[in-house]
């Protein structure tokens, strides 16, 4: 397995193993029941086809510098909004998870700020550190989810849980539309070039992991509870593995948060370099990356301090 392929895979995992993505996946399992993995697979295929059209079409070599600057500006704007507001929400979630799982006396916002500081330091060091960190963060998060899935699917449920076996047309369409959010990470994944077949393998592996998580979730938690709870992963892990599952999911959420925040920083840095490369060809890539990381960190810290993470309209900003 090449380093490029592994990096691309861990970039995708950085989003689908984030707390927000696990909530979406589990909520959809509650709404779609036993059919949710199949609907998820359909969303995966649709996303893959869209990726083929967007990333593997021939570039317009006749585009003017003005057009390239405009396109780069749109790309940067599209990258900055998720990189600012999604990490705000998941960092606070991770802080509460650490507080409830490991040290109840430790300030949850203090832990969120510590995770943000870790990401900032990594990006101040450079791209090599950021890429290496992505591999580590995503791998740890993957192992945590995989252990819970493996034990959960092989262990009997403590009590019989009623599983939804049919989905109405409108409900299925809603589940399909929401499932597309889980492949958001794939559209920014090619920070390095990968072939279509390798891209397909990464997406297939991701949907398999999420589908198995959904099957684990509906085995241990009722659909009504899964569909509405904001901490479904805690319920699933606790029912599947008891106290050990609670510890494992806590570690998974923390490393999944680090992977997701680092991933969004990488997106923003890439788009900023792309834009500045059209305006200032002699720009220093290292300086650009450090400045973007610093600005994002300040913005996220301000959002957390202002209480934006608890606001209902945070998703509107995203």
């Amino acid at each position: 397995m090449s380093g490029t392929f592994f990096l691309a895979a861990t970039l995708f995992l950085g989003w689908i193993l984030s707390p927000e993505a696990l909530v979406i996946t589990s909520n959809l399992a509650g709404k779609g029941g036993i059919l949710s993995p199949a609907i998820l697979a359909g969303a995966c295929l649709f996303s893959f086809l869209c990726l083929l059209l967007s990333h593997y079409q021939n570039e317009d070599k006749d585009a003017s510098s003005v057009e390239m600057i405009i396109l780069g500006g749109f790309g940067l704007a599209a990258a900055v909004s998720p990189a600012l507001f999604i990490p705000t929400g998941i960092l606070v979630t991770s802080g509460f998870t650490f507080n409830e799982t490991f040290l109840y006396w430790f300030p949850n916002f203090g832990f969120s700020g510590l995770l943000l500081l870790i990401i900032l330091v990594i990006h101040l060091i450079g791209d090599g550190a950021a890429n290496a960190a992505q591999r580590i963060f995503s791998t740890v998060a993957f192992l945590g989810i995989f252990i819970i899935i493996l034990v959960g699917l092989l262990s009997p449920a403590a009590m019989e849980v009623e599983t939804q076996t049919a989905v109405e047309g409108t409900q299925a369409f809603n589940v399909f539309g929401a499932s597309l959010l889980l492949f958001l990470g794939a559209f920014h994944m090619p920070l390095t070039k990968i072939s279509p077949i390798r891209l397909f393998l990464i997406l297939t592996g991701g949907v398999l992991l999420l589908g198995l998580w959904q099957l684990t979730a509906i085995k241990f938690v009722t659909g009504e509870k899964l569909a509405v709870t904001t901490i479904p992963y805690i319920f699933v892990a606790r029912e599947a593995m008891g106290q050990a599952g609670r510890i494992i999911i806590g570690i998974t959420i923390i490393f999944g948060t680090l992977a997701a925040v680092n991933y969004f920083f990488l997106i923003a840095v890439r788009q900023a370099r792309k834009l500045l490369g059209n305006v200032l060809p002699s720009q220093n890539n290292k300086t650009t990356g450090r400045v973007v990381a610093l600005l994002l960190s300040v913005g996220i810290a301000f959002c957390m301090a202002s209480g934006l993470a608890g606001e209902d309209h945070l998703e509107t900003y995203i």
Side-chain angles (χ1 to χ4, degrees), residues 162-275:
E162 184 177 348
T163 303
Q164 184 175 343
T165 57
V167 185
E168 296 181 358
T170 303
Q171 180 80 330
F173 182 79
N174 291 337
V175 172
F176 176 82
S179 296
L180 294 175
L181 294 174
L182 298 172
F183 300 96
L184 168 69
F187 285 86
H188 292 286
M189 192 169 49
L191 298 176
T192 50
K193 296 292 183 180
I194 57 175
S195 65
I197 185 63
R198 289 189 171 188
L199 177 61
F200 181 75
L201 289 174
I202 291 172
L203 292 182
T204 302
V207 78
L208 179 62
L209 182 68
L210 294 180
L212 290 174
W213 172 260
Q214 289 182 325
L215 292 177
T216 305
I218 61 179
K219 179 179 178 179
F220 291 98
V221 184
T222 62
E224 293 81 1
K225 190 172 186 178
L226 276 177
V228 298
T229 180
T230 57
I231 50 171
Y233 41 80
I234 293 180
F235 293 126
V236 175
R238 188 175 60 193
E239 292 296 326
M241 295 184 64
Q243 180 64 15
R246 186 168 169 267
I247 299 298
I248 291 174
I249 198 63
I251 296 172
T252 300
I253 291 302
I254 291 170
F255 278 86
T257 295
L258 287 168
V261 176
N262 189 56
Y263 161 74
F264 283 111
F265 271 50
L266 286 169
I267 294 173
V269 168
R270 181 186 66 161
Q271 292 296 338
R273 286 172 176 167
K274 184 177 180 181
L275 174 61

Side-chain angles (χ1 to χ4, degrees), residues 76 79-80 83 123 127 130 191 262-276 283 285-294 296:
L76 180 60
V80 167
H123 280 264
D127 291 348
L191 298 176
N262 189 56
Y263 161 74
F264 283 111
F265 271 50
L266 286 169
I267 294 173
V269 168
R270 181 186 66 161
Q271 292 296 338
R273 286 172 176 167
K274 184 177 180 181
L275 174 61
L276 291 178
Q283 59 141 340
N285 281 337
K286 289 185 178 180
T287 301
T288 300
R290 289 165 179 162
V291 171
V292 171
L294 182 60
L296 281 176

Side-chain angles (χ1 to χ4, degrees), residues 108-162:
N108 45 48
F109 282 99
F111 185 75
S112 301
L114 178 61
L115 295 184
L116 179 60
L117 179 61
I118 290 173
I119 297 298
L120 174 59
V121 170
I122 288 172
H123 280 264
L124 290 179
I125 295 173
D127 291 348
N131 290 336
Q134 187 66 28
R135 293 182 176 96
I136 295 171
F137 296 153
S138 294
T139 299
V140 174
F142 167 79
L143 290 175
I145 286 293
F146 181 76
I147 291 172
I148 294 172
I149 290 173
L150 185 63
V151 174
L153 292 179
L154 295 179
S155 302
M159 57 181 295
E160 189 70 22
V161 176
E162 184 177 348

